[in-house]
Amino acid sequence: MGRGQDLSSSGRDSKKGERVGGGGNVRFRSINSDLSLPLSQGLSCHLWDGDVLCLPGSLVSAPGPVLVPTRLQTELVLRCHEETDCDLCVRVAVHLAVHGYWEDPEDEEKFRRAADPELEEPRNASLQAHIVLSFQAYPTAHCVLLEVQVPAALVQPGQSVGSIVFDCFEAALGAEVQIWSYTQPRYQKELNLTQQLPALPWLNVSADGEDVRLVLDVSEEQRFGLSLYWNQDQGPIKPWWHSNLTGPQTITLNHTDLVPCLCIQVWPLEPDSVRTSICPFREDPRAHRNLWRAARLQLLPSRGWRLDAPCSLPAEATLCWQALDGGPCLPLVPPLPRENVTVNKVLEFPLRKGHPNVCVQVSTWEKLQMQECLWADSLGPLKDDMLLVETRGPQDNGSLCALEPSGCTPLLSRASTRAARLGEQLLQDVQSGQCLQLWDSDLGALWACPMDKYIHQRWALVWLACLLLAAVLFLLLLLKMNPVKGWLRLLKENIRAGAASRSRAALLLYSADDASFERLVGALASALCQLPLRVAVDLWSRRDLSAQGALAWFHAQRRQTLQEGGVVVLLFSPGAVALCREWLQDATSAPRAHGPHDAFAASLSCVLPDFLQGRAPGRYVGAYFDKLLPADAVPALFRSVPVFSLPSQLPDFLGILQGPTAPRSRRLAERAEQVSRALQPALDSCFRPPGALGTGRGMGPEAGVRT
């Protein structure tokens, strides 16, 4: 590596010197200073020939005052070899200043004395620095080394001493350039600057109806190369079309060929010519739609899959379970994790064995984009198997539930689903090894259990029931008409009376903000039981909550309530609204911890999907207390179901809870009055103003300081 010749300037006169080397010229200029210095003292600079390695190195402490770059400026210029032969260049100005102080005053005194012009033999004391300029513009990169000296008379800590101008770095039109500057050794964080150069003026992209036109306006004798390629983030550039052309050209692209990563590269057919690239379709909605149409999801034996697409896709992939009787594919998240999609690469899911009912879903944050069931060709069609999810605790205490459209049903529950009816048999099948284990980890396992033998038993019962029904109908025909009519009338009345006597189920979910609010919820639940309603609330199930956990308890209660035609009541309070917002927003901090009995916090993982997927109407109802929460505080997502203010809207609230068996308006008003009277003591305690006697804690906007 060689060194260029000296370049110098005389103080404030800013005389310029040049040296061609390392791909450019160096110019520098001084700036005005408050110091009174002789004009003979000036700056000097050396340009090292050739490029240097772009290795900033680690930060080191300055031994004293050092010369460092403080600011970068750029300017676009043309370097013309002839009148019509010009190249685009980026001129870079680096402003310099003195940073740091002398650690030892004696060193500073020696430095000053060496630069004293009154000495008989003054020495040329100066401050020296090696400045690196790094220039990157895809696909090229350059680094040059500048050796700068500052006279001692200009060395004042914190003061600017001038600037150096590198003239210049060659670049292509339309390119994005990045410039760094730092010292060697590096005394501070490197400066950086990014600049987008203007696009090639003779390349124009315009719309032609549904199609796109590329208009290249050059002279008739100009020869140039044109390339269309897919600029993939995950992998190398993939060429699509290339041609050498002459003169002005207009090229038409079909709108179905547009994808976000489709780029255009143009360059003159000359030696060492600079290529210009633009990617004009990154934000085009048509291009994004075409990208998903062109994507292909391939499933590979035995547990592999691959998503083929011309461009990268911001999507996630999950496994789901597709039942034989149709319906939505049920996600297996958790326990299995989501995977970010890498296009054109074979990926594997952590399954021990394949199953035809296991499918891959590829989705964005907006919607599901595509789904394919695994290995259908090699493993055959879908099977009527039941997928069991095993959850393992920290002390080897596990539980099994069956994945169904209504949720994960515990095997030993009283629900009316097929999995609950066959819970003991399925548990025996797992223990006897008749089920296929698909996945296993420390957190749990997945089992696929055949249901064929239970289907045969079910059809036998159906045929037996049909025969019994036919026999009953035959006997009815033998009876006289009048007795038959009287018997039917009596049967109808008994059915109505039985329906009226059966109470509807209601599950209350709330956030345990404080003790006074829990007492208010308990009073409401007790009052609703007198309507009659069968009310489930975690206040009355502390032992089950401790044994099962809040999430498992909520799953079981929600499934039983909905299967029996009941309704889930969401009681909104300030704490409940805050929890909902934590789930709905992308919070950068970790969610706050919740108590072991907080069923509301545990239930949000299942309640929110019902609202987001439109399954909430008819299943849920919302309520809040008048003085505790303003009407507009309830998140908009939950207003897809009726939301009532209590106690002012108690009649309408009770009518929704009792459903088809609700009494007439007069009777309903009487029941609402009873509930309101039952709530009043708890409401008074909950909203007690500041300073009131008693041990209850106030709530609501007017609540005072808690003691």
Side-chain angles (χ1 to χ4, degrees):
M1 177 182 296
R3 296 179 59 180
Q5 69 181 46
D6 293 349
L7 305 174
S8 63
S9 161
S10 296
R12 303 185 189 92
D13 292 340
S14 302
K15 296 180 181 179
K16 299 180 179 179
E18 295 189 3
R19 169 73 169 94
V20 178
N25 300 336
V26 174
R27 295 195 182 102
F28 60 89
R29 54 185 174 86
S30 298
I31 65 170
N32 295 332
S33 173
D34 295 334
L35 298 176
S36 298
L37 298 176
L39 294 177
S40 59
Q41 294 178 348
L43 305 174
S44 63
C45 180
H46 301 281
L47 171 66
W48 289 66
D49 293 334
D51 286 352
V52 297
L53 293 178
C54 304
L55 298 175
S58 57
L59 287 171
V60 298
S61 300
V66 293
L67 191 62
V68 296
T70 59
R71 186 162 56 95
L72 295 175
Q73 284 182 304
T74 60
E75 180 184 4
L76 299 182
V77 296
L78 290 177
R79 170 179 290 177
C80 298
H81 308 286
E82 297 179 2
E83 183 176 355
T84 59
D85 185 10
C86 298
D87 294 326
L88 179 66
C89 284
V90 179
R91 178 182 294 164
V92 183
V94 184
H95 296 262
L96 305 173
V98 177
H99 283 191
Y101 297 88
W102 297 101
E103 296 182 357
D104 190 348
E106 295 183 359
D107 295 338
E108 181 180 6
E109 182 64 23
K110 293 179 181 179
F111 186 80
R112 295 299 180 191
R113 291 178 58 190
D116 190 352
E118 296 182 359
L119 296 176
E120 295 181 0
E121 296 181 358
R123 288 169 288 177
N124 295 326
S126 62
L127 189 63
Q128 178 177 295
H130 289 91
I131 308 297
V132 176
L133 268 179
S134 173
F135 181 89
Q136 294 187 12
Y138 180 83
T140 60
H142 299 289
C143 282
V144 295
L145 179 64
L146 309 174
E147 182 180 301
V148 183
Q149 292 186 356
V150 180
L154 295 179
V155 177
Q156 292 292 333
Q159 296 292 328
S160 299
V161 297
S163 63
I164 56 176
V165 180
F166 186 85
D167 194 3
C168 56
F169 290 108
E170 291 188 3
L173 285 165
E176 181 181 81
V177 299
Q178 294 181 326
I179 304 170
W180 287 270
S181 181
Y182 51 89
T183 60
Q184 284 188 347
R186 188 160 64 93
Y187 300 119
Q188 65 178 18
K189 185 179 179 180
E190 62 268 19
L191 297 178
N192 65 83
L193 178 67
T194 301
Q195 182 170 357
Q196 182 69 47
L197 302 188
L200 201 62
W202 41 269
L203 175 59
N204 182 34
V205 180
S206 61
D208 183 14
E210 290 291 332
D211 299 329
V212 174
R213 290 194 305 171
L214 306 180
V215 180
L216 296 101
D217 186 11
V218 297
S219 61
E220 295 183 358
E221 298 179 355
Q222 176 71 49
R223 299 180 66 249
F224 60 91
L226 177 66
S227 176
L228 302 178
Y229 63 94
W230 291 324
N231 186 21
Q232 296 177 337
D233 295 336
Q234 303 165 348
I237 291 176
K238 186 176 181 180
W240 181 46
W241 181 83
H242 170 268
S243 180
N244 294 333
L245 305 172
T246 303
Q249 295 284 341
T250 299
I251 300 173
T252 301
L253 298 179
N254 193 300
H255 71 279
T256 58
D257 296 329
L258 305 183
V259 289
C261 63
L262 180 60
C263 299
I264 307 166
Q265 190 176 76
V266 183
W267 68 96
L269 292 179
E270 299 174 357
D272 300 327
S273 61
V274 178
R275 299 193 176 198
T276 299
S277 298
I278 61 173
C279 303
F281 310 112
R282 289 177 177 174
E283 306 299 330
D284 194 325
R286 297 175 300 175
H288 286 273
R289 289 194 297 268
N290 292 338
L291 177 58
W292 281 109
R293 294 192 187 103
R296 294 293 180 268
L297 181 59
Q298 297 185 13
L299 305 176
L300 310 172
S302 61
R303 300 183 302 275
W305 66 280
R306 183 177 67 189
L307 182 62
D308 294 326
C311 307
S312 300
L313 286 168
E316 291 182 333
T318 59
L319 287 183
C320 63
W321 179 264
Q322 181 64 62
L324 180 62
D325 55 358
C329 196
L330 305 177
L332 301 181
V333 180
L336 295 181
R338 297 181 181 271
E339 296 284 346
N340 292 325
V341 173
T342 302
V343 299
N344 306 324
K345 180 181 179 180
V346 177
L347 303 174
E348 289 189 358
F349 278 102
L351 294 181
R352 300 182 61 180
K353 294 183 180 180
H355 193 282
N357 292 38
V358 178
C359 304
V360 176
Q361 286 183 340
V362 177
S363 58
T364 61
W365 64 273
E366 295 176 333
K367 64 176 182 178
L368 173 66
Q369 297 291 349
M370 56 182 61
Q371 172 181 313
E372 291 291 339
C373 290
L374 298 182
W375 321 296
D377 294 338
S378 58
L379 298 179
L382 297 178
K383 297 181 179 179
D384 189 18
D385 289 359
M386 181 70 69
L387 184 70
L388 304 184
V389 180
E390 180 182 356
T391 304
R392 295 168 181 166
Q395 299 179 353
D396 295 333
N397 53 344
S399 61
L400 276 172
C401 64
L403 194 62
E404 295 182 297
S406 59
C408 205
T409 307
L411 293 187
L412 303 179
S413 67
R414 298 180 180 179
S416 58
T417 63
R418 181 173 67 163
R421 291 192 299 268
L422 301 174
E424 295 184 0
Q425 293 92 321
L426 291 174
L427 186 59
Q428 294 175 1
D429 291 345
V430 173
Q431 296 173 350
S432 61
Q434 299 183 38
C435 298
L436 177 66
Q437 189 179 50
L438 304 181
W439 175 74
D440 186 29
S441 75
D442 296 336
L443 301 178
L446 296 177
W447 304 85
C449 299
M451 302 294 290
D452 296 339
K453 56 182 178 181
Y454 303 115
I455 293 176
H456 298 321
Q457 297 176 3
R458 183 180 63 183
W459 280 111
L461 294 176
V462 170
W463 281 110
L464 180 59
C466 291
L467 292 175
L468 291 176
L469 180 60
V472 170
L473 292 176
F474 179 74
L475 291 175
L476 289 177
L477 292 176
L478 299 178
L479 298 177
K480 295 181 179 180
M481 296 299 297
N482 290 335
V484 171
K485 290 181 179 180
W487 181 79
L488 290 177
R489 187 181 302 108
L490 181 61
L491 179 61
K492 183 177 181 182
E493 292 175 358
N494 291 337
I495 291 176
R496 288 181 177 177
S501 63
R502 289 194 302 268
S503 56
R504 194 182 187 196
L507 171 62
L508 295 187
L509 295 179
Y510 70 99
S511 174
D513 291 3
D514 56 15
S516 61
F517 184 73
E518 284 191 313
R519 288 194 296 271
L520 179 58
V521 173
L524 176 62
S526 299
L528 293 179
C529 288
Q530 306 300 322
L531 291 184
L533 279 173
R534 287 185 294 108
V535 180
V537 64
D538 61 353
L539 281 172
W540 301 340
S541 305
R542 295 297 194 193
R543 181 177 299 176
D544 293 339
L545 277 173
S546 300
Q548 302 177 16
L551 183 60
W553 181 87
F554 165 74
H555 272 296
Q557 295 296 328
R558 171 183 171 274
R559 184 181 308 103
Q560 181 177 354
T561 299
L562 296 181
Q563 288 174 353
E564 295 175 0
V567 63
V568 179
V569 181
L570 302 178
L571 285 178
F572 290 99
S573 63
V577 171
L579 285 173
C580 293
R581 288 174 178 167
E582 286 182 15
W583 281 84
L584 292 173
Q585 296 176 355
D586 292 330
T588 57
S589 60
R592 61 185 177 91
H594 305 291
H597 305 310
D598 196 349
F600 187 88
S603 67
L604 285 178
S605 61
C606 293
V607 169
L608 286 178
D610 286 344
F611 281 86
L612 292 172
Q613 299 173 12
R615 300 195 301 262
R619 297 182 172 186
Y620 293 82
V621 64
Y624 62 94
F625 293 97
D626 296 332
K627 299 180 181 179
L628 179 61
L629 195 70
D632 56 354
V634 178
L637 175 65
F638 298 95
R639 295 190 177 276
S640 59
V641 301
V643 180
F644 299 96
S645 175
L646 304 181
S648 59
Q649 295 179 337
L650 262 176
D652 296 335
F653 176 66
L654 298 181
I656 288 292
L657 290 186
Q658 294 186 270
T661 63
R664 296 183 178 180
S665 57
R666 177 179 298 180
R667 179 60 177 165
L668 195 60
E670 294 176 357
R671 291 183 175 180
E673 182 64 22
Q674 295 174 3
V675 174
S676 180
R677 286 196 300 267
L679 288 178
Q680 197 58 46
L683 286 171
D684 294 339
S685 174
C686 192
F687 299 109
R688 179 175 292 110
L693 297 177
T695 59
R697 293 180 294 174
M699 292 183 62
E702 69 277 10
V705 178
R706 297 173 180 175
T707 58

